[in-house]
């Protein structure tokens, strides 16, 4: 049976965890440990009471999440915060978080998978955070914006399309989750088309004024991919079962 340390060390190397200066509070890596062994791997987008309960009920003793436990300032372990820890400790469930590393990864990352879902191959990176590029850009290869809309709608039924840019974009940019920092970066890249999760309301006017195509697929929906890809790879390498723990988050 593989040890928790063996699997965590592999995750750290595979995601290049130490290379990323993430947002304050992200705390990539092992956030809660178990008794030191792993028998079943789980994947979830968010750390939270419901995903933790689902994981323990499913017999998961290592849960991979994208959004970890420690975004907020330090706070007392009372109410739901105490319940989170209690559920994990009672269920012997470790938690490993990977935020920006699982957005940026060239094969396991949310953005690389978004590009592949669109039938495109990532060709260059953009949107740097502390020196590391998070987003990806792919050549459109004759793809029209109608083609792109149809391909995305197969995977994202709640797709929102703001189509004020070119009908035949030369390139398409991808930024999973929140795209608020990605829109201002498009002009410098010479790209007018972005696939992302969500945007603030004011970007509608910007899209009109700057002739942009913006495709909003849902924050949660665009960030299920990286944790699933990492969990599946761990399953193959260490010969362990894995499961995805969906919460039905519509946002």
């Amino acid at each position: 049976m593989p040890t928790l340390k063996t699997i965590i060390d592999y995750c750290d190397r595979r995601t290049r965890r130490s290379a990323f200066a993430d947002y304050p509070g992200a705390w990539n890596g092992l956030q809660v440990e178990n008794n030191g062994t792993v028998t079943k791997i789980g994947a979830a987008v968010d750390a939270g009471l419901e995903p933790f309960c689902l994981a323990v009920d499913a017999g998961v003793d290592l849960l991979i999440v994208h959004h970890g436990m420690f975004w907020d300032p330090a706070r007392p372990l009372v109410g739901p915060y105490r319940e989170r820890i209690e559920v994990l400790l009672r269920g012997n469930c470790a938690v490993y978080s990977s935020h920006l590393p699982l957005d940026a990864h060239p094969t396991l990352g949310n953005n690389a998978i978004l590009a592949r879902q669109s039938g495109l191959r990532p060709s260059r990176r953009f949107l740097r955070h502390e020196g590391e590029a998070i987003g990806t850009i792919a050549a459109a290869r004759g793809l029209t914006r109608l083609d792109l809309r149809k391909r995305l709608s197969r995977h994202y039924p709640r797709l929102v399309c703001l189509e004020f840019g070119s009908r035949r974009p030369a390139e398409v940019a991808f930024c999973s989750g929140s795209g608020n920092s990605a829109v201002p970066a498009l002009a410098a890249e010479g790209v007018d088309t972005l696939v992302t999760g969500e945007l603030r309301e004011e970007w509608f006017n910007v899209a009109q004024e700057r002739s942009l195509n913006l495709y909003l697929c849902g924050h949660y929906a665009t960030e299920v991919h990286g944790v699933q890809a990492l969990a599946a790879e761990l399953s193959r390498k260490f010969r362990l079962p894995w499961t995805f723990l969906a919460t039905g988050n519509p946002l």
Side-chain angles (χ1 to χ4, degrees), residues 100 102-118 120-128 132-140 171-176 182 185-186 189 191-196:
L100 292 186
L102 268 191
D103 285 325
H105 198 278
T107 55
L108 301 175
N110 291 313
N111 293 315
I113 295 173
L114 280 171
R116 295 200 297 268
Q117 283 182 332
S118 305
L120 303 178
R121 181 180 299 173
S123 56
R124 59 192 178 99
R125 312 296 292 280
F126 86 116
L127 195 60
R128 291 191 173 274
E132 288 288 337
I134 308 305
T136 194
I137 294 174
E171 294 180 302
V172 180
F174 297 88
C175 177
S176 66
L186 295 176
E189 301 292 340
V191 176
D192 73 350
T193 301
L194 172 69
V195 176
T196 188

Side-chain angles (χ1 to χ4, degrees), residues 5-36:
K5 183 180 186 308
T6 298
I7 296 178
I8 296 306
D9 287 347
Y10 179 85
C11 289
D12 286 347
R13 292 192 303 272
R14 190 72 171 100
T15 62
R16 298 178 58 242
R17 179 184 67 84
S18 61
F20 283 81
D22 213 311
Y23 297 110
W27 283 93
N28 291 316
L30 184 65
Q31 297 192 333
V32 177
E33 66 180 2
N34 64 10
N35 67 359

Side-chain angles (χ1 to χ4, degrees), residues 2-185:
T3 67
L4 178 66
K5 183 180 186 308
T6 298
I7 296 178
I8 296 306
D9 287 347
Y10 179 85
C11 289
D12 286 347
R13 292 192 303 272
R14 190 72 171 100
T15 62
R16 298 178 58 242
R17 179 184 67 84
S18 61
F20 283 81
D22 213 311
Y23 297 110
W27 283 93
N28 291 316
L30 184 65
Q31 297 192 333
V32 177
E33 66 180 2
N34 64 10
N35 67 359
T37 62
V38 178
T39 62
K40 186 176 182 180
I41 297 166
V45 174
D46 303 301
L49 184 57
E50 182 183 358
F52 293 169
C53 289
L54 291 172
V56 170
D57 288 346
V60 167
D61 44 22
L62 172 58
L63 180 64
I64 310 293
V65 299
H66 185 57
H67 301 128
M69 298 175 64
F70 303 118
W71 295 95
D72 300 325
R75 62 177 66 203
L77 291 178
V78 299
Y81 301 99
R82 177 194 61 79
E83 290 182 78
R84 288 183 180 186
I85 299 298
E86 185 178 50
V87 165
L88 293 171
L89 295 180
R90 187 175 66 242
N92 188 41
C93 185
V95 175
Y96 182 90
S97 176
S98 186
H99 183 233
L100 292 186
L102 268 191
D103 285 325
H105 198 278
T107 55
L108 301 175
N110 291 313
N111 293 315
I113 295 173
L114 280 171
R116 295 200 297 268
Q117 283 182 332
S118 305
L120 303 178
R121 181 180 299 173
S123 56
R124 59 192 178 99
R125 312 296 292 280
F126 86 116
L127 195 60
R128 291 191 173 274
H129 174 77
E130 300 290 341
E132 288 288 337
I134 308 305
T136 194
I137 294 174
R141 299 188 176 189
L143 190 77
T144 68
R145 70 183 185 192
L146 176 59
D147 296 330
L148 181 60
R149 186 198 319 156
K150 287 180 177 179
R151 293 182 185 185
L152 290 171
S153 65
R154 295 186 196 124
H155 301 280
Y156 307 99
R158 298 166 64 90
L159 179 68
V160 174
C161 306
L162 308 179
E163 297 181 313
F164 303 109
S166 55
R167 294 180 182 274
R168 291 183 174 273
E171 294 180 302
V172 180
F174 297 88
C175 177
S176 66
S178 172
N180 291 309
S181 60
V183 177

